[in-house]
Amino acid sequence: MEIQNLKRPELLLPVGTKDMALAAIHNGADAIFMGVPGFNARGRSHDFQIEEVKEIIDTCHLHGVKVNLAFNILIFQNELRSAVEVLEKILPLKPDAFIVQDLGLVRLIRQMAPEQRVHASTQMSISNAEAIQWLDDLGIQRFVLARENSIKEIQAIKQNTTKEIEVFVHGALCVSYSGQCFTSEGIGGRSANRGQCAQSCRFSYEMHVDGEKRDLQGKSFLVSPQDLCGINEVPSLLQAGVDCFKVEGRLKTPEYVATAARSFDEAITSAQSNQSLSSPVLMKKQMASAFSRGFYSGWFHGVNHQELVDGTFSSHRGFEFGKILRVNGSSLEVELTETNVQQGLKADFIKAGDGILWVYKDRNGQSVEKGGFVFAVKTLSPRRFELEFSRDIAMDGLYLGARVFYNHDKDLKKDVTLSVEDKQRKKRLPVFIRAEASLGKPLKVEYSDGKYTVSASSENVCETAKSKGLNSLDLREELFALMGSPFRGEGFSCELDAETPLFLPHRQIKELRQQLVKELTDLRIQNGAAPVIAPQAQVMEWIASKKIAEGKVQGVKLNLLLRDKGQVEDIANAIKAGELLASGIHLAILDFEFGLDFEPSLNLLRATGLKVGIATTRILKPNEHRNVKHLLNLNPDAILARNLGAIQYLQANAYQGQILGDFSLNVANHLTAQYLLDKGISSVCLGYDLNHLQVSELIQAGQAERFEVTAYQYMPSFHMEHCVFAAFLSKGSSFKDCGKPCEKHDVKLKDQFGNWHQIKPDQECRNTMYNGTSQSAARYVKEWEALGLGYIRYEALKERGAELITKVQAHLDFISGKKELESLIKDIGDVESYGLSESHFQREKEYQSRKK
């Protein structure tokens, strides 16, 4: 594969502290990303002060490293002024780009600083070229794709856009599509879209199949993927045209940053030269010792439900390298795995003082971890060795056959420290130096780093030397004396008067060098002209101008979302029997697992007089347009669009019905809402991160009659490429060989806190995990109606028959004034299996971690 002529992609490393920034700079990073003060999508990381941000930006720019600021959380209505204020402080620092999730915030940045570069965060859930095309008017220069895109899909997207593409190549894998995770919000009021993820995917869960607990042989971390390591995929990603390789991990350490930067820098350089990596297994060993939940290629090669999730652990284990063959008095004999041997690993990689962990089955058959620091190493063969430990680590015959992991490199911290402190190892930029001197004129010296050029002349003119005069070798040595600076001499040219030996005090040559190094340093830190930033008053006036004046209160209408044809039959029969009035339901929306059930259900409901809509899948990938095309052919009254690519496809293909924007578009402020509505969306369902006060504020700022709030539902928590059915109820790696257990079984997960979660697949075999406790916003509906809210939604999940009809009728009676609030809540609560909650609607304080 000939790829050496391809442009080097940017290597982007995570930074949560200044030490991490230095580790990135001096170990191969082309760029870093860090959080915006006060608006940080990693709420548990250090929240930088403005002064710290400036210091890091200046240091990075000095060393030729770009800085991308992660502003990738949703912005609530009452935070728009705060966002403007923080942008006013940060824009003058000249960050190279902002990484943004909120569409309204993109508009705001464009208004404040039109030339500022903006990247679309992976939190936008971009997984197709159509979404990129639809957002073209926002001027976003780069899109960070969903982690779930395969290399083939990445290549297909890149071939259909001129925008830059950024891809995660290393670090933690969220089991849910980024921007589509509401588990933390549903369980504890901690929004992943607000940087407060509780890492619910790392919890332990029980699996209950058809009402009975399933014994999974010690596997309980059912939605905790292994970490991504795409070091072997670097050549293919280059070939696919990826513009930026991104490493996840702002909560990690300088050692983590340094090992990832070195490894991927070397991998990119090797791939561009069409060379194979000399020892990828040693790279993985070092990266894994810094942090690893096990390394896997993620979704780069498509889904493999048997390998993505191990299920037996969810925290750092390090690099798995062998199995225990024998247990001695204070030592363990270990043999390398065949895979590691084939990749070139030898038994001499462990040193005394390194940390080892092994995983074995206890007498109850449960997985147990044990570990310690190696006291001594004895090599027995190229693939076998004996590890001796201190006497206080008890040896046990149960360890036989245990998996062994390398999880601490005793020299790594020292090595990373040296990389940022040792003058010989620190990153230094090449400069080209030119000197020119002749009799009676000053010495003129020029330094150029390829971007900036500075020049100066000596204070004195050159005189005739009485003995040995200036020569190019001595000049070069003095002008190359740059060890204490961020520069190194790369090229030198010199023009000296050939006829007359020249004299100039050596001190002046040294002063010229010092002066020019300072000027070049200052230019690099200054990093160009100051950006033009619109005045705050002007920006706030623009924000206010995008608000919509209060419209006439029409009265709230009910939309009903149904999830299978059985529920459709229940509703149709109830209408025919007079138990429900079709006129009370504004729109029935079909959200089915099986697309074949859409047409008969559509016809059945239309026969009762109902208008009918159909929901798209939450995610659209390059080869999945058949689903949207099927909806076009059915021509429902409305299509509930759950991703931006589907909207683009529907509009491009002249769909004549209404396109409704769903909660998954994450509308949290009126700038986002109005952008969507102005581009042809008929109504938008407000995001699930808003509490009741924030909903009220947004209703008052936007076109309230075109807003919808989901008033009753089971919160859709994770939306996953990972299929729980296939992973734990089959031996299949994908839908092709899993046997489709989802069609035969009902699956619920019970988390470690006792909460229940229903698992349902969609048409593309993606799973959604729903909170088992339903939630209601009924307490606030009348207030919102008075403010002009257009629609509320009732979402069914598994309820059938009398339970379904009772709940729907209770809501219809409530909004028509026939039923009081307390009566509605009682009617719903009486038929709930796991209770009723107000969930995120009642959360009025932002979660703050104990660290803060």
Side-chain angles (χ1 to χ4, degrees):
M1 182 168 55
E2 192 72 17
I3 61 176
Q4 62 262 36
N5 292 326
L6 294 181
K7 179 185 71 173
R8 175 186 167 91
E10 182 178 281
L11 178 56
L12 178 63
L13 273 295
V15 164
T17 65
K18 182 181 177 183
D19 286 342
M20 290 171 71
L22 294 174
I25 289 168
H26 296 295
N27 286 278
D30 299 304
I32 67 160
F33 65 101
M34 56 190 287
V36 167
F39 293 91
N40 188 351
R42 288 293 181 270
R44 291 177 293 130
S45 68
H46 172 66
D47 201 4
F48 292 103
Q49 300 302 306
I50 296 294
E51 295 75 17
E52 293 176 292
V53 175
K54 174 175 171 46
E55 183 182 1
I56 291 175
I57 289 177
D58 288 350
T59 303
C60 285
H61 286 165
L62 173 59
H63 288 91
V65 172
K66 294 179 181 178
V67 180
N68 299 339
L69 293 182
F71 209 153
N72 54 338
I73 66 172
L74 299 183
I75 307 298
F76 295 142
Q77 188 64 35
N78 65 354
E79 293 176 327
L80 289 170
R81 180 178 289 278
S82 297
V84 172
E85 290 171 352
V86 77
L87 283 168
E88 279 189 319
K89 295 174 182 177
I90 286 181
L91 284 166
L93 306 184
K94 303 174 191 173
D96 295 278
F98 284 100
I99 307 170
V100 182
Q101 173 186 12
D102 193 298
L103 297 177
L105 179 58
V106 179
R107 299 181 70 195
L108 177 58
I109 293 172
R110 281 279 160 268
Q111 188 67 23
M112 289 188 70
E115 301 304 314
Q116 175 62 52
R117 189 175 171 89
V118 175
H119 298 171
S121 169
T122 190
Q123 293 281 123
M124 277 195 194
S125 311
I126 302 295
S127 59
N128 55 75
E130 285 82 3
I132 296 173
Q133 182 180 348
W134 201 73
L135 296 173
D136 187 63
D137 57 339
L138 289 179
I140 298 169
Q141 287 92 346
R142 178 186 295 176
F143 288 82
V144 188
L145 296 185
R147 292 171 173 90
E148 292 80 358
N149 281 118
S150 69
I151 293 174
K152 288 183 179 179
E153 291 163 350
I154 292 167
Q155 187 169 26
I157 293 169
K158 182 61 180 174
Q159 289 172 348
N160 286 282
T161 182
T162 58
K163 302 290 187 179
E164 293 179 13
I165 295 299
E166 183 172 302
V167 169
F168 281 93
V169 295
H170 187 75
L173 279 178
C174 303
V175 77
S176 178
Y177 274 86
S178 294
Q180 303 300 314
C181 178
F182 300 96
T183 314
S184 300
E185 180 71 79
I187 293 176
R190 296 173 54 172
S191 168
N193 281 323
R194 294 282 295 171
Q196 302 293 356
C197 173
Q199 294 194 312
S200 307
C201 51
R202 310 301 177 187
F203 291 173
S204 61
Y205 292 86
E206 295 175 358
M207 187 176 193
H208 292 252
V209 182
D210 301 327
E212 295 185 3
K213 182 179 176 181
R214 179 64 59 98
D215 182 3
L216 297 176
Q217 304 298 310
K219 293 185 176 183
S220 62
F221 300 100
L222 308 183
V223 289
S224 179
Q226 298 183 79
D227 288 347
L228 170 65
C229 183
I231 199 79
N232 293 329
E233 284 70 32
V234 166
S236 299
L237 291 167
L238 279 175
Q239 191 72 20
V242 174
D243 298 283
C244 179
F245 288 5
K246 186 172 192 173
V247 175
E248 181 278 340
R250 280 188 277 155
L251 295 175
K252 302 295 197 310
T253 63
E255 293 76 40
Y256 172 90
V257 169
T259 55
R262 292 174 191 170
S263 298
F264 280 91
D265 180 39
E266 182 180 338
I268 291 168
T269 301
S270 296
Q272 285 188 299
S273 303
N274 210 21
Q275 301 292 319
S276 298
L277 282 175
S278 57
S279 54
V281 69
L282 293 180
M283 288 182 175
K284 288 183 178 180
K285 184 268 296 185
Q286 191 174 54
M287 287 191 289
S289 70
F291 191 89
S292 168
R293 300 181 184 91
F295 281 161
Y296 187 59
S297 57
W299 288 281
F300 281 147
H301 303 290
V303 297
N304 189 325
H305 299 306
Q306 298 305 314
E307 295 187 7
L308 178 71
V309 172
D310 178 283
T312 62
F313 68 104
S314 66
S315 57
H316 173 53
R317 274 191 175 175
F319 173 70
E320 184 172 2
F321 64 88
K323 289 192 174 183
I324 295 175
L325 296 182
R326 183 177 299 172
V327 180
N328 301 319
S330 61
S331 66
L332 302 171
E333 285 189 25
V334 179
E335 182 175 55
L336 299 177
T337 62
E338 184 62 33
T339 300
N340 283 322
V341 171
Q342 290 177 0
Q343 293 183 19
L345 193 66
K346 296 180 180 178
D348 60 359
F349 75 91
I350 295 178
K351 310 174 294 296
D354 287 346
I356 303 298
L357 177 142
W358 55 95
V359 182
Y360 64 98
K361 298 283 188 181
D362 66 12
R363 288 175 174 81
N364 297 316
Q366 298 300 310
S367 287
V368 181
E369 296 181 357
K370 185 77 173 178
F373 294 103
V374 175
F375 180 73
V377 183
K378 181 181 179 182
T379 301
L380 305 175
S381 74
R383 62 185 300 169
R384 290 181 61 187
F385 47 96
E386 185 176 3
L387 303 177
E388 185 177 344
F389 297 87
S390 64
R391 296 285 178 179
D392 59 353
I393 297 179
M395 294 295 131
D396 193 318
L398 289 173
Y399 300 163
L400 283 175
R403 300 163 62 188
V404 190
F405 298 79
Y406 178 90
N407 71 345
H408 177 75
D409 183 335
K410 74 178 183 68
D411 296 325
L412 182 57
K413 189 176 186 70
K414 178 181 178 182
D415 181 63
V416 173
T417 300
L418 285 174
S419 73
V420 303
E421 293 180 355
D422 187 335
K423 292 179 181 179
Q424 298 289 347
R425 294 182 56 182
K426 290 172 68 171
K427 179 177 182 178
R428 295 166 66 213
L429 300 163
V431 291
F432 296 84
I433 304 171
R434 184 174 181 275
E436 181 183 328
S438 59
L439 186 65
K441 294 184 178 180
L443 169 67
K444 183 178 180 182
V445 178
E446 179 181 281
Y447 278 65
S448 176
D449 64 1
K451 183 176 183 180
Y452 300 105
T453 298
V454 292
S455 61
S457 299
S458 60
E459 182 180 346
N460 293 359
V461 298
C462 295
E463 300 175 357
T464 303
K466 295 179 180 178
S467 57
K468 178 185 176 184
L470 291 176
N471 63 76
S472 62
L473 288 177
D474 290 342
L475 270 177
R476 183 183 186 278
E477 182 178 356
E478 178 58 48
L479 296 175
F480 268 37
L482 300 169
M483 187 58 74
S485 77
F487 307 109
R488 59 177 174 83
E490 179 77 8
F492 181 74
S493 64
C494 181
E495 292 184 21
L496 295 177
D497 193 326
E499 298 180 359
T500 309
L502 302 176
F503 168 77
L504 188 72
H506 183 268
R507 173 182 55 81
Q508 293 197 21
I509 302 173
K510 180 180 178 180
E511 288 173 350
L512 272 180
R513 168 175 54 79
Q514 292 172 339
Q515 174 189 342
L516 292 175
V517 166
K518 183 181 185 305
E519 288 181 10
L520 194 56
T521 297
D522 291 345
L523 278 174
R524 294 190 66 85
I525 291 174
Q526 185 180 338
N527 195 39
V532 177
I533 304 171
Q536 184 180 133
Q538 178 181 320
V539 175
M540 295 309 300
E541 182 179 345
W542 174 82
I543 291 173
S545 73
K546 299 303 174 184
K547 293 183 178 181
I548 302 300
E550 183 178 354
K552 185 179 179 181
V553 177
Q554 300 290 329
V556 73
K557 302 180 182 66
L558 180 72
N559 292 330
L560 173 62
L561 187 140
L562 304 171
R563 287 206 159 90
D564 62 49
K565 63 180 181 180
Q567 292 174 339
V568 167
E569 292 167 357
D570 291 338
I571 294 295
N573 290 335
I575 291 174
K576 291 176 183 176
E579 298 172 26
L580 282 177
L581 284 177
S583 58
I585 300 172
H586 173 260
L587 181 71
I589 303 168
L590 310 181
D591 179 21
F592 292 176
E593 175 185 351
F594 304 110
L596 290 176
D597 292 337
F598 280 144
E599 186 170 13
S601 297
L602 179 72
N603 294 333
L604 183 60
L605 289 175
R606 277 180 167 169
T608 68
L610 285 177
K611 291 194 300 180
V612 185
I614 305 179
T616 71
T617 53
R618 286 265 283 280
I619 299 298
L620 177 67
K621 284 189 170 184
N623 296 317
E624 296 176 357
H625 298 92
R626 62 188 179 280
N627 291 322
V628 192
K629 187 175 181 180
H630 180 49
L631 303 193
L632 276 170
N633 292 336
L634 292 174
N635 195 29
D637 300 287
I639 291 179
L640 182 64
R642 289 182 163 151
N643 64 80
L644 300 176
I647 297 172
Q648 167 67 20
Y649 187 90
L650 292 169
Q651 291 180 337
N653 286 276
Y655 172 61
Q656 297 301 305
Q658 290 186 324
I659 300 175
L660 317 178
D662 207 3
F663 72 93
S664 47
L665 303 185
N666 287 318
V667 174
N669 58 70
H670 79 282
L671 295 179
T672 299
Q674 208 55 43
Y675 175 76
L676 296 170
L677 294 173
D678 286 348
K679 293 189 70 171
I681 309 301
S682 297
S683 66
V684 291
C685 183
L686 303 188
Y688 288 171
D689 295 282
L690 306 176
N691 65 27
H692 72 100
L693 295 173
Q694 291 157 345
V695 169
S696 296
E697 289 166 349
L698 181 48
I699 289 173
Q700 294 174 78
Q703 287 182 272
E705 70 278 8
R706 296 172 69 184
F707 288 173
E708 179 184 37
V709 176
T710 302
Y712 177 89
Q713 67 167 328
Y714 298 85
M715 175 76 88
S717 311
F718 298 136
H719 187 64
M720 309 176 282
E721 197 75 27
H722 171 55
C723 180
V724 174
F725 295 90
F728 301 107
L729 296 180
S730 83
K731 296 187 181 301
S733 60
S734 71
F735 73 93
K736 296 177 182 178
D737 58 358
C738 70
K740 299 183 180 178
C742 58
E743 296 183 12
K744 309 178 184 76
H745 300 288
D746 178 76
V747 170
K748 294 178 183 177
L749 302 185
K750 185 179 181 182
D751 67 32
Q752 61 199 46
F753 305 107
N755 302 303
W756 288 92
H757 307 272
Q758 180 79 44
I759 304 291
K760 278 183 67 69
D762 71 4
Q763 295 170 64
E764 293 294 339
C765 298
R766 298 184 184 104
N767 285 189
T768 301
M769 189 167 94
Y770 294 88
N771 198 321
T773 301
S774 63
Q775 68 172 46
S776 172
R779 189 176 306 279
Y780 313 108
V781 166
K782 291 299 181 182
E783 172 192 341
W784 295 336
E785 182 178 31
L787 294 173
L789 179 66
Y791 309 97
I792 62 169
R793 185 191 302 178
Y794 176 100
E795 286 201 1
L797 184 61
K798 282 286 188 178
E799 54 266 53
R800 287 292 313 277
E803 178 187 356
L804 175 63
I805 304 307
T806 296
K807 290 179 178 179
V808 174
Q809 185 60 53
H811 278 84
L812 289 173
D813 288 344
F814 174 65
I815 62 176
S816 67
K818 297 178 183 177
K819 187 181 291 290
E820 296 297 321
L821 172 65
E822 297 307 320
S823 178
L824 168 66
I825 293 174
K826 181 181 183 303
D827 286 354
I828 299 172
D830 285 347
V831 291
E832 286 295 345
S833 300
Y834 303 111
L836 184 66
S837 165
E838 291 182 359
S839 189
H840 65 97
F841 288 115
Q842 64 185 355
R843 171 185 51 76
E844 295 187 12
K845 290 186 178 180
E846 189 84 352
Y847 170 82
Q848 293 292 318
S849 71
R850 285 175 292 180
K851 173 182 172 182
K852 293 185 177 180

